[in-house]
Amino acid sequence: MVARKNEPPANAVGRASSGKKLLKCFEDHRHVWVFMELERGNVHPVSIELLGEGRRLADKLGVQLAGVILGSSEGVGTKPAIEEAFAYGADIAYLVESPLLANYRNEPFTKALTDLVTTHKPEILLLGATTLGRDLAGAVATTLQTGLTADCTELDVDGDGSLAATRPTFGGSLLCTIYTLNSRPQMATVRSRVMATPQRADKPIGRVIQHQLLMVEEEIVTKVLAFLCNSGSEQSDLANSDIVVGGGLGLGAAGNLQYLRNLATTIGGGVGCSRPLVQKGWMTADRQIGQSGHTIRPKLYIAAGISGAVQHRVGVEGADLIVAINLNQNAPIFDFAHIGVVACALEFLPALTEAFAKRMPPHNSIKVMDRGRLDDQG
């Protein structure tokens, strides 16, 4: 693998400049595959996003896009996932159905996916950077002895067809483009909401290639005893929020986070924060936005007192509109925000909340707390 720091994929010069040559045994690897992750019969949103990105890469390479579905024919089954694969751009689908795949377990899923790859030889394999996807991708890459780039923020292909996978590195201070030059498939994981969701088009189911899982229950160490749904969890759903209000160290004190909550309540948004606030214990980890937290693609993101380091930027740059409020006019966040406000967040947030409250329906309006009283809470 070769890593080039701070070089966007478009500027890559390819395999030749590195002195690497693709081994002859990999020269017949073709096509782009997307692993279709299922959650109780439903396709995970990140798989849909990856189909859109996979379609772009496949078109650039002049190859086919395939959806890979692993599951059981019992219950809801795999048919909805097959339909979604073709509706979001796949040319072909690979299907492995077995009772052993009814619930995710590393051993049978790794066996099924590695057997598929060995038989049909894709050149690129993309998975979501979910809990399941990370576990499966690592096992598959290790079994196949190929490269895997995790938590990518950008994907592209260079002139000789190598996958250029860009991700933050060194604590989020740099962006690094990584190439898997001498092995196949080239693997990458991408977190939910990093890529845009493609348009759905109702299409008939195309070609489906079925593959048999050559495994028996006795070979699997892990056993599923029961499934416990966490739908009652009170953790935030920032990744799917249309409006997010985020805060950073510029707010000065934990008590001042109430300004974020007031604004978020008024405009119907979620509340998030930068990593330093979690490290200080001001907010919980499920509220963190950035490379090591949530990646968000809201219609509106309001960042108050956030400097805008690279690790935070990669988590928010997909937002339709970014409004940054910071007293430091040289803060990095102004380099990528759509609207920048050079002001004290403790003064600007209450005024912004009050302005919104006057224009929102009465049931959404709130009483704006006094700034002096909030400062005393910190």
Side-chain angles (χ1 to χ4, degrees):
M1 300 178 70
V2 175
R4 300 186 177 94
K5 301 173 188 176
N6 286 336
E7 287 188 18
N11 294 337
V13 290
R15 188 182 300 108
S17 66
S18 69
K20 294 285 186 179
K21 183 177 181 180
L22 186 64
L23 298 177
K24 191 173 183 64
C25 61
F26 296 124
E27 290 180 352
D28 58 348
H29 281 241
R30 293 287 184 274
H31 311 306
V32 177
W33 284 16
V34 171
F35 172 72
M36 304 285 290
E37 181 174 336
L38 297 177
E39 292 183 315
R40 317 310 296 176
N42 297 315
V43 178
H44 194 290
V46 72
S47 300
I48 302 300
E49 295 159 12
L50 285 176
L51 282 171
E53 188 66 7
R55 179 73 272 166
R56 184 181 68 82
L57 297 177
D59 289 344
K60 197 166 184 178
L61 290 168
V63 299
Q64 290 185 323
L65 171 66
V68 180
I69 299 99
L70 310 181
S72 171
S73 60
E74 301 172 357
V76 177
T78 57
K79 186 176 180 181
I82 297 172
E83 293 174 345
E84 291 300 275
F86 287 104
Y88 284 102
D91 302 300
I92 191 172
Y94 292 96
L95 172 66
V96 183
E97 283 187 322
S98 169
L100 304 184
L101 302 173
N103 295 288
Y104 177 73
R105 291 179 288 176
N106 182 275
E107 296 143 291
F109 270 70
T110 299
K111 172 68 173 174
L113 190 51
T114 53
D115 283 355
L116 274 174
V117 169
T118 302
T119 302
H120 299 284
K121 301 180 180 179
E123 57 185 308
I124 294 174
L125 174 58
L126 307 177
L127 301 90
T130 60
T131 301
L132 185 159
R134 287 185 173 115
D135 184 65
L136 179 60
V140 170
T142 301
T143 303
L144 296 173
Q145 296 187 331
T146 189
L148 167 64
T149 307
D151 288 349
C152 299
T153 59
E154 185 178 354
L155 300 173
D156 208 341
V157 288
D158 64 14
D160 59 17
S162 296
L163 177 67
T166 300
R167 72 177 309 277
T169 188
F170 295 109
S173 60
L174 293 172
L175 290 175
C176 185
T177 299
I178 299 173
Y179 294 79
T180 302
L181 298 178
N182 56 350
S183 61
R184 292 292 183 269
Q186 303 161 99
M187 293 181 60
T189 62
V190 179
R191 288 194 294 176
S192 182
R193 306 290 279 182
V194 170
M195 305 299 181
T197 302
Q199 290 293 320
R200 191 182 192 282
D202 288 321
K203 295 191 303 183
I205 292 177
R207 185 185 178 201
V208 178
I209 297 178
Q210 291 187 282
H211 190 91
Q212 185 179 0
L213 175 60
L214 300 176
M215 196 175 212
V216 294
E217 181 63 42
E218 289 70 27
E219 298 178 78
I220 306 172
V221 175
T222 307
K223 308 299 178 185
V224 177
L225 302 180
F227 175 77
L228 301 178
C229 181
N230 66 349
S231 59
S233 172
E234 295 183 356
Q235 286 198 337
S236 63
D237 189 24
L238 291 178
N240 297 310
S241 297
D242 285 336
I243 300 174
V244 176
V245 181
L249 284 177
L251 294 177
N256 294 331
L257 295 176
Q258 189 60 41
Y259 290 129
L260 303 180
R261 301 186 182 99
N262 287 351
L263 178 57
T265 299
T266 301
I267 60 180
V271 177
C273 67
S274 59
R275 182 170 60 181
L277 268 62
V278 174
Q279 294 172 332
K280 281 182 169 291
W282 293 4
M283 296 193 81
T284 55
D286 66 298
R287 299 284 174 177
Q288 183 178 328
I289 301 169
Q291 176 195 359
S292 52
H294 289 286
T295 300
I296 60 175
R297 295 184 71 91
K299 296 177 181 177
L300 171 63
Y301 176 53
I302 300 175
I306 295 177
S307 63
V310 172
Q311 78 88 24
H312 187 78
R313 175 175 182 167
V314 299
V316 305
E317 58 186 355
D320 291 344
L321 179 64
I322 300 175
V323 178
I325 307 163
N326 201 296
L327 196 58
N328 178 10
Q329 63 180 1
N330 296 316
I333 197 167
F334 289 131
D335 293 336
F336 60 92
H338 301 97
I339 298 175
V341 180
V342 180
C344 174
L346 302 184
E347 297 176 354
F348 191 82
L349 285 175
L352 183 61
T353 302
E354 187 173 2
F356 272 120
K358 291 178 180 178
R359 293 164 174 79
M360 301 294 287
H363 67 276
N364 282 342
S365 61
I366 60 171
K367 181 179 179 180
V368 180
M369 298 183 68
D370 177 74
R371 183 169 71 88
R373 183 158 59 91
L374 285 177
D375 288 342
D376 293 340
Q377 296 178 24

